Structures are given as structure tokens and as C-alpha cells.
Amino acid sequence: MKRVLIIAGLLGLIAFVSMSWAADYPAKPITIEIGYPAGGSTDLVTRALATEAGKFLGQTIICNNTPGAAGNLVLGKIKNQKPDGYVLAAAPTANVYRIPHIQESPFKASDLVPICEYSQYQYGLAVRADSPWETWEEFVDYAKKNPRKIKYSTAGVGTGQHLGMEFVAKKNGIQWSMVPFKGGVEAAVAVLGGHVDAVSQTTEFKDHVLAGKMRMLLAWNPKRLLSFPDVPTAKEKGIDVQVTTGISLWAPHGISQEIVKKLAEAFRKAAQTDAFKQVCLKFDMPNDFLGPEEDAELIRTQDKFMGEFIKSLGIGIYAPK
């Protein structure tokens, strides 16, 4: 009995210390490691949000870039950090429910805790303005008649925009090649430089299209992009696949729920500021916000769907041996 009382007392003391510590959080600057290079949509949107959230938390939030492996490198890194809320990661929500179906992953979903999802990527396919393809149909028809001639860029293997292209290839008997880059900016520039024929990517190509240097042929999202209302969606073209995911903020497993709630509330307020909305608008990205419980539920449901979808393509861990 005495031993039980001692253990109960210790647990109570630990809980009290944890709550006191969380109440003082944050007592020093917070760092966010961003999973893509500087200048892209993930980088600029996250930096804008972090600046605003820092004001609500009363602490500076420092943003660093840790690009690589389509945003997965940073998630593998963050899982080993101390779960005290001072080092977080920004990476696509889909990486947690999609990548384990594609390849061996440096992390498991159980290694990470979602703080919030704060914006949604917009995807499309674009080509150079002086290319011979005026429409999606012309692009696909050329690819059918010219096996292995088309090269397209993305921000990495296993991304949604990569899977969308492979879905189209499988349905139409197309053989084309994907060229991966660390980020969307590099993927778009590769088109302008003539290194690839097209880019299937988030809207880092937007300014190039508006400047008349590139032409957008297709939107992968369920709805047309605000800046390009004349460009059809994949669904409108009879393609039975949509590419959607948001950007989430992640913490290592073990972080206290009090700190998660404090961070989520600060980022929720930050997502409502004009400064953040203006940066989202630059990339046509809506700023719909999901809290930690909603984000976690999204991950659970999408994991099942994505596993079945990737298996139907016969790629990733489901590829024939």
C-alpha cells in the first residue's frame, strides 16, 4: 500500500511540474523547420504565418529550411527532437498518410503530433508558352504517340502531383518520365530552361504564367484556380483523380496537450490575419484552418483511401517485385 501511495504521489508531482512548465510556455524563441527550399509556397506561407503567430505567443518564431525527399526529410528529423514545443516542422499533411505507401519512410505517423493544418496547396500542370501544346488534350495526345519523349518535373517522388500524372499515364497507356526536384520553384524553372517539357506542381509557376512565359493546361484540385478560371480541372477532363493536401505544423510525439492547444490557438488567430491571407493569395491557396483533432482525423481517413489508391496504380510498396 505504501508503495502504491509513493508511486501515485510521484505521478501527481510529475503532472504538476508538467502543467506548470506548460503554463510558462513559450519562454524562449520557437524554431520551425520547413520541409522545402526558400521561396516556394510552403516556405513563404509558413513564414508569414509564423511571424503573425509569434505576436500572439509573445515570442519570436525562427524559420529554417530543411528541404529534401519531398518534405519527408524534415519529418524524419523532427521526430528525434525533444517534445517541448520549441522545435516544430512544416510539411504537407499528405506526407504522413501517403509516403508510407510509396517507400520506406524515415518516420511513422505515431512519431508525430499534428498541431494544425493552415493552408491548402493548389496544383496544376503547366508548359512553356512557346510549346506546341495549347490544351491538355494536345499534350496527352502527343505523349501517347511519342513514348518516353515527355519529361515533367515535380517536387519529388510520391507527391500528389506525381501520382496524378502516373494515374493519367496508366489510364492512357502513356510512358513519360518524372524528374524530381527539391522544391516547386526549381521544378518550374526547369521548364523555362528547357530541361523538362512540363511541370506538375503547386502554383510556383503562377507568376510565369501571368508573365506569358508559361501556359497552364490543367488544375488538379476539385475547383478551378482563382487566378486561372479558364483552365479546366482534371475532373472536368474526365480524369477520376484529384490532388489535394494541406500544410501542417508537426511536433514530436510526447508533446504535452497543453502546449499543443496553446500553439494551435495562436496559429488559428494568425491564420485570420490579413498579412497571412495576402501571402496565401499569391499562390491561390485558401487558408482553411484545421485544429489538432480535425487534422488527426483527416490523417486517419486519408491513410486508408491513399493506400487503396496507390495499390490500384501498382506503384510504391505495391509495385510488382
Side-chain angles (χ1 to χ4, degrees):
M1 184 64 180
K2 184 178 179 181
R3 185 179 179 186
V4 172
L5 290 174
I6 292 174
I7 292 174
L10 288 173
L11 291 174
L13 179 60
I14 291 171
F16 175 75
V17 171
S18 177
M19 290 178 64
S20 300
W21 181 69
D24 294 334
Y25 176 87
K28 61 182 182 180
I30 299 166
T31 297
I32 296 178
E33 301 286 346
I34 301 171
Y36 286 99
S41 55
T42 308
D43 176 66
L44 295 180
V45 167
T46 300
R47 287 178 185 273
L49 187 71
T51 298
E52 298 304 308
K55 297 174 184 176
F56 295 109
L57 289 167
Q59 280 289 351
T60 301
I61 299 180
I62 302 165
C63 291
N64 298 323
N65 297 93
T66 308
N72 295 309
L73 187 64
V74 73
L75 294 176
K77 178 180 178 181
I78 197 70
K79 75 172 187 180
N80 297 319
Q81 295 293 323
K82 187 177 180 181
D84 58 5
Y86 287 104
V87 182
L88 308 170
T93 314
N95 283 24
V96 173
Y97 58 72
R98 184 177 56 222
I99 293 302
H101 298 288
I102 295 291
Q103 60 194 23
E104 186 175 350
S105 173
F107 58 85
K108 303 188 297 292
S110 57
D111 294 328
L112 304 165
V113 175
I115 304 297
C116 60
E117 182 179 279
Y118 49 87
S119 191
Q120 289 73 45
Y121 292 104
Q122 302 296 289
Y123 298 92
L125 182 118
V127 297
R128 278 173 53 130
D130 60 359
S131 75
W133 311 297
E134 296 283 343
T135 66
W136 168 254
E137 286 83 357
E138 291 176 358
F139 180 73
V140 170
D141 186 59
Y142 177 88
K144 286 181 181 177
K145 295 175 179 175
N146 296 273
R148 294 182 290 276
K149 289 287 187 181
I150 292 288
K151 293 189 296 184
Y152 69 93
S153 57
T154 75
V157 176
T159 55
Q161 56 272 37
H162 171 214
L163 297 181
M165 290 294 284
E166 293 311 303
F167 179 85
V168 171
K170 185 178 178 67
K171 290 291 184 182
N172 293 278
I174 293 173
Q175 297 179 51
W176 49 29
S177 303
M178 192 277 280
V179 181
F181 288 82
K182 283 189 175 180
V185 174
E186 295 95 328
V189 170
V191 178
L192 294 174
H195 304 293
V196 295
D197 303 291
V199 56
S200 179
Q201 188 48 43
T202 46
T203 46
E204 283 86 359
F205 55 73
K206 176 180 172 180
D207 287 347
H208 302 307
V209 175
L210 293 176
K213 297 179 180 178
M214 294 178 71
R215 180 184 305 117
M216 185 176 170
L217 302 183
L218 189 81
W220 287 113
N221 293 79
K223 296 181 180 178
R224 296 188 179 197
L225 272 62
L226 291 175
S227 298
F228 306 107
D230 296 331
V231 177
T233 66
K235 184 178 181 180
E236 289 172 321
K237 290 299 178 184
I239 303 169
D240 191 23
V241 66
Q242 300 170 356
V243 179
T244 59
T245 187
I247 314 173
S248 281
L249 191 66
W250 306 92
H253 174 75
I255 187 172
S256 81
Q257 285 303 303
E258 288 77 14
I259 292 178
V260 169
K261 290 178 182 176
K262 188 171 287 188
L263 283 167
E265 182 57 23
F267 279 86
R268 183 188 299 278
K269 291 177 180 176
Q272 296 169 356
T273 62
D274 289 340
F276 175 65
K277 291 178 181 177
Q278 287 176 6
V279 178
C280 287
L281 191 59
K282 171 180 173 62
F283 296 102
D284 274 11
M285 297 169 71
N287 61 323
D288 298 335
F289 187 92
L290 298 180
E293 293 85 6
E294 297 165 298
D295 206 1
E297 178 60 23
L298 173 71
I299 292 165
R300 279 192 291 271
T301 56
Q302 283 296 308
D303 179 68
K304 182 175 186 299
F305 168 78
M306 195 56 65
E308 294 173 351
F309 174 62
I310 294 173
K311 189 174 184 179
S312 74
L313 296 179
I315 62 175
I317 64 173
Y318 309 106
K321 303 298 182 184

